[in-house]
Amino acid sequence: LSRDSFPKGFVFGTASSAYQVEGNSLKYGRGPCIWDTFLKFPGATPDNATANVTVDEYHRYMDDVDSMVRVGFDAYRFSISWSRIFPNGIGRFNKDGVDYYHRLIDYMLANNITPYVVLYHYDLPEVLNNQYNGWLSPKVVPDFMAFADFCFKTYGNRVKNWFTINEPRMMAWHGYGDGFFAPGRCTGCRFGGNSATEPYIAGHHLILAHAAAVQVYRDKYQRRQNGTIGILLDFVWYEPLTYTVEDEYATHRAREFTLGWYMHPITFGHYPETMRKLVGSRLPNFTAEQSKLVQGSADIIGVNHYTTYYVRHHAFSKWLYVVPWGFYKAVMHVKNKFRDPLILIGENGIDQSGSDTLPHALYDTFRIDYFDQYLHELKRAIADGARVTGYFAWSLLDNFEWRMGFTSKFGLVYVDRKTFTRYPKDSTRWFRKVIKSEE
Ligand code: FCB
């Protein structure tokens, strides 16, 4: 495998998110977000982690950009913390926060690392959750729009690759369906909730907020700034375990309730049929005007893909399996089912459990095998016509992995959590070979 096996101009990068890497979550004027509140409850993560420090990228972004340069990456996908820019969700901006992203972007550009910027990655300002229940209220739409507008205005002269929201399905489902993510709402959850209705309401507002931000970008900035804007969606590939009608239908349902939940409205202007049938009146409607706004609201689709599950009617699984051909099928499904959009692989990677000590943690041969096989499958999808413009590995660093705390590690680079020294794993050398075509 080498860079030459991919189309000209194909972009290689790594992805992260503000909350997972920045640290300093309550410093430099940043307002709390829903994860800060959520993690206060003992047992929220197996290691009782907080992200108050995590890997301290806020201070060490130069080291991290330098690592990217050494490996040969072209781009870095990071997210902007809404509550670092607007500690109150709206209103007055926080200059320290605004300046941080200026420094990061400028340093990246000075080093030829292209910014791919995500506006929202699970970290809603806590005040908006307090004031009106966050994503459950339509009030979040204009607030998100104002935040997005500010970011386009402030950074858009240098940022040409925008994404509104990362994995709205994860946000809607885990935040409001099973309570696994902040704000931790579900039927019977400590923070209250109603799993039968709230995920769909939150999902609806996530889509509307996305579309509203895209509209602002297109109306006010896109032509002048000459960039693109899209959304990032999580997509497990689902394969029927047996070719029985039950399993095939269960597979179809699984696809429609995950990728389809967002891809259908964005492509066709309405929710997928299975969802409308099964969720019924609990599924909000798009008005004609909203539907028009939502349809076509992405220049590019970010596909975050990690694994494939076999589906049996009523089965459920939680692990990441290594199924390279599932990646091929997932990408081809997006191409064939949703009018052949431009695709960016927004995330792909594998975590490491078990040995966490140096030097063993650096010998990540299993991760190299994973990347090698998955990238071969991506190459195959491109050869078969998928319009894929880039690929982002999750993640450069071992970082704060949400409900797993620091017990699950996806990084190409190990971080000593006492000294914050970064140690490249073998997979960085493998990537370097591929990207620099040194084979
Ligand atoms: C994705 C999330 C990202 C990280 C990876 C491992 O679903 O977008 O923040 O947790 O999984």
Side-chain angles (χ1 to χ4, degrees):
L1 198 71
S2 79
R3 190 198 270 282
D4 308 335
S5 1
F6 291 85
K8 230 181 139 228
F10 191 85
V11 171
F12 282 97
T14 59
S16 74
S17 84
Y19 197 67
Q20 290 176 276
V21 299
E22 282 177 8
N24 303 279
S25 56
L26 300 169
K27 291 196 190 150
Y28 304 107
R30 180 183 170 284
C33 78
I34 52 177
W35 273 90
D36 294 308
T37 316
F38 187 63
L39 293 174
K40 280 192 188 135
F41 289 85
T45 59
D47 48 350
N48 278 317
T50 70
N52 294 348
V53 181
T54 179
V55 289
D56 193 23
E57 191 161 276
Y58 190 91
H59 293 121
R60 292 163 204 266
Y61 65 94
M62 290 189 181
D63 288 353
D64 296 336
V65 173
D66 292 350
S67 300
M68 297 170 204
V69 171
R70 274 196 295 275
V71 179
F73 284 117
D74 311 299
Y76 178 37
R77 199 202 108 188
F78 63 92
S79 77
I80 295 182
S81 152
W82 183 347
S83 63
R84 199 180 280 296
I85 302 288
F86 292 114
N88 292 314
I90 49 162
R92 271 169 81 111
F93 68 83
N94 165 38
K95 184 162 184 312
D96 275 358
V98 173
D99 288 349
Y100 168 64
Y101 298 106
H102 278 310
R103 288 198 295 281
L104 172 63
I105 292 166
D106 288 344
Y107 191 71
M108 286 171 62
L109 290 175
N111 286 281
N112 287 319
I113 301 284
T114 307
Y116 280 60
V117 180
V118 184
L119 295 171
Y120 182 82
H121 196 126
Y122 307 164
D123 51 353
L124 188 78
E126 173 62 25
V127 286
L128 304 184
N129 196 51
N130 283 335
Q131 275 167 20
Y132 53 68
N133 272 332
W135 291 109
L136 293 176
S137 163
K139 291 189 183 149
V140 72
V141 176
D143 287 354
F144 181 70
M145 207 165 94
F147 164 58
D149 193 331
F150 180 88
C151 293
F152 301 143
K153 186 172 67 199
T154 310
Y155 305 115
N157 59 341
R158 286 154 296 153
V159 174
K160 307 297 166 193
N161 300 277
W162 291 102
F163 289 89
T164 53
I165 292 173
N166 180 73
E167 304 187 355
R169 185 199 72 94
M170 293 281 279
M171 182 69 224
W173 182 251
H174 290 316
Y176 302 87
D178 63 9
F180 188 68
F181 275 7
R185 292 179 65 85
C186 74
T187 304
C189 272
R190 160 190 291 136
F191 302 103
N194 179 347
S195 305
T197 53
E198 290 188 359
Y200 305 109
I201 298 169
H204 198 66
H205 295 139
L206 282 154
I207 297 173
L208 294 176
H210 151 78
V214 170
Q215 193 194 24
V216 169
Y217 188 63
R218 287 182 176 164
D219 285 354
K220 291 174 63 177
Y221 301 99
Q222 186 159 38
R223 186 116 39 97
R224 188 156 40 88
Q225 297 184 345
N226 192 23
T228 60
I229 188 159
I231 187 167
L232 290 143
L233 304 174
D234 55 298
F235 191 26
V236 165
W237 179 248
Y238 293 103
E239 189 76 7
L241 182 63
T242 70
Y243 292 106
T244 54
V245 178
E246 288 78 18
D247 286 1
E248 295 239 16
Y249 182 52
T251 306
H252 178 67
R253 277 197 316 270
R255 291 180 194 156
E256 298 229 309
F257 271 79
T258 51
L259 187 73
W261 186 353
Y262 300 91
M263 247 346 249
H264 258 269
I266 289 171
T267 316
F268 308 111
H270 52 77
Y271 287 115
E273 202 197 308
T274 322
M275 282 191 83
R276 280 185 284 162
K277 211 157 84 195
L278 295 176
V279 186
S281 62
R282 291 175 291 130
L283 190 66
N285 271 322
F286 293 112
T287 65
E289 198 187 328
Q290 289 170 340
S291 163
K292 239 177 85 191
L293 200 68
V294 168
Q295 186 174 14
S297 62
D299 302 330
I300 185 161
I301 298 298
V303 170
N304 295 351
H305 175 84
Y306 288 87
T307 196
T308 289
Y309 296 141
Y310 280 110
V311 177
R312 203 172 47 188
H313 188 57
H314 280 316
F316 188 58
S317 165
K318 273 201 156 178
W319 303 103
L320 294 182
Y321 297 108
V322 181
V323 191
W325 52 259
F327 191 25
Y328 171 86
K329 289 200 176 189
V331 171
M332 294 309 281
H333 180 82
V334 176
K335 170 183 167 57
N336 294 327
K337 176 132 187 171
F338 299 106
R339 300 184 176 162
D340 197 13
L342 275 183
I343 297 173
L344 178 95
I345 306 307
E347 292 178 22
N348 175 244
I350 187 86
D351 65 338
Q352 173 173 9
S353 49
S355 169
D356 182 25
T357 47
L358 289 173
H360 303 284
L362 307 182
Y363 309 146
D364 58 345
T365 320
F366 74 97
R367 180 173 287 112
I368 294 176
D369 288 345
Y370 174 96
F371 283 130
D372 188 57
Q373 297 176 63
Y374 273 65
L375 279 164
H376 268 104
E377 290 298 313
L378 184 61
K379 201 174 116 180
R380 191 155 74 89
I382 293 170
D384 289 348
R387 301 193 301 140
V388 185
T389 65
Y391 171 93
F392 288 72
W394 185 277
S395 182
L396 184 73
L397 307 169
D398 286 341
N399 59 46
F400 172 74
E401 186 47 43
W402 308 114
R403 282 303 287 277
M404 302 304 292
F406 293 99
T407 67
S408 159
K409 299 182 181 320
F410 280 86
L412 308 180
V413 172
Y414 176 94
V415 181
D416 178 326
R417 299 204 27 75
K418 292 209 180 73
T419 61
F420 299 100
T421 310
R422 274 76 167 141
Y423 297 91
K425 302 182 191 174
D426 287 349
S427 51
T428 58
R429 275 181 283 281
W430 180 85
F431 259 113
R432 190 186 150 88
K433 262 196 182 161
V434 170
I435 295 174
K436 303 212 161 179
S437 293
E438 280 174 353
E439 248 173 352

